[in-house]
Amino acid sequence: METPDVQIEPSWKEVLKEEFTKPYFAPLIAFLKQEKAEGQTIYPPGKLIFNAYALTPFDKVKAVLLGQDPYHGYGQAQGLAFSVPQGIATPPSLVNIYKELRDDIGYTIPNHGNLEHWAREGILLLNTVLTVRAGQANSHKGKGWEQFTDATIRAVSERKDKIVFLLWGKPAQTKIPLIDASKHLILTAAHPSPMAQGAFFGCKHFSKTNEYLIQNGIEPIKW
């Protein structure tokens, strides 16, 4: 496995440079290498672990959408929260996101779950844990990724202005203390998972995001 500091996009590499030398980081990389040495399949593939950072450079970030950890089924994970490659069935949570988009802004629901265009629009689709063992949700929780992604959230909060943070569900909302609410917009809602029994619907976060960006002279997101 390549070391992440080789893969990560240059602007992020600069912003997060101190993280690579912190005590948690070497053990995290050692853990991932050990998983591979033991024959475990890790998702997403190594080259896509930092895909959220690659597709949304630091200076392009307009919004941060937090997920939990990558999809653990074959072919699903592509390093972007909630997103799957074209040709893979749209996951239930994303189906609900699309429904809310339709009801909120008249969005035409696509026949795929690939959100790469969102990433290129400036939405950092960040999972709080960036890898997972195949077939085992949350299997890489507590191994160090949380420190890295917390540093990411903190850096966006401290170094940028007028960012929209979309925090869906209780795990995402635990990150609120990392965000300076005096200079950013924090939007919270239930998780779009069907297990939330529709509590996500009606949040109107997509129109609220664009209203805030426009009010602050920022190009709105083309959802």
Side-chain angles (χ1 to χ4, degrees):
M1 181 175 180
E2 296 174 46
T3 54
D5 57 336
V6 174
Q7 302 170 17
I8 200 163
E9 188 272 335
S11 66
W12 282 110
K13 191 173 177 181
E14 174 61 26
V15 168
L16 297 172
K17 61 186 177 184
E18 293 179 7
E19 298 306 306
F20 301 116
T21 58
K22 287 187 176 176
Y24 75 86
F25 202 82
L28 168 60
I29 301 307
F31 165 75
L32 294 173
K33 289 180 175 177
Q34 182 64 27
E35 288 275 89
K36 292 201 80 174
E38 292 175 0
Q40 298 293 343
T41 298
I42 303 302
Y43 295 138
K47 65 183 180 180
L48 294 179
I49 290 172
F50 290 92
N51 203 23
Y53 299 82
L55 295 182
T56 314
F58 184 74
D59 62 339
K60 303 291 186 186
V61 175
K62 297 178 181 179
V64 178
L65 174 53
L66 283 187
Q68 201 158 340
D69 71 335
Y71 297 119
H72 53 84
Y74 177 78
Q76 291 182 301
Q78 58 176 167
L80 303 173
F82 295 103
S83 180
V84 293
Q86 272 166 278
I88 299 293
T90 304
S93 290
L94 185 52
V95 168
N96 284 345
I97 291 169
Y98 282 164
K99 287 178 181 176
E100 177 62 21
L101 263 163
R102 178 195 62 202
D103 295 345
D104 185 12
I105 60 169
Y107 181 84
T108 300
I109 296 176
N111 61 358
H112 62 81
N114 190 334
L115 301 180
E116 287 180 349
H117 67 291
W118 286 15
R120 293 191 174 94
E121 279 286 305
I123 305 169
L124 183 66
L125 297 167
L126 184 67
N127 282 316
T128 54
V129 174
L130 298 187
T131 57
V132 69
R133 186 186 287 184
Q136 297 183 39
N138 284 322
S139 48
H140 287 182
K141 183 179 179 181
K143 302 299 183 182
W145 281 128
E146 293 90 345
Q147 288 96 312
F148 188 80
T149 55
D150 279 1
T152 300
I153 296 164
R154 202 178 290 111
V156 172
S157 176
E158 290 174 359
R159 300 193 188 201
K160 296 183 73 74
D161 292 302
K162 312 303 182 188
I163 301 297
V164 181
F165 289 85
L166 299 159
L167 308 180
W168 299 339
K170 288 186 173 63
Q173 290 159 22
T174 65
K175 306 301 181 181
I176 289 174
L178 303 175
I179 304 163
D180 183 349
S182 71
K183 62 173 185 168
H184 303 292
L185 177 63
I186 301 172
L187 295 175
T188 61
H191 197 278
S193 165
M195 289 187 289
Q197 298 181 323
F200 173 74
F201 295 126
C203 69
K204 298 189 181 299
H205 279 188
F206 308 100
S207 59
K208 289 176 181 177
T209 293
N210 278 351
E211 286 165 9
Y212 178 81
L213 294 174
I214 291 166
Q215 285 169 5
N216 288 286
I218 301 165
E219 186 77 19
I221 291 163
K222 298 180 184 72
W223 300 100

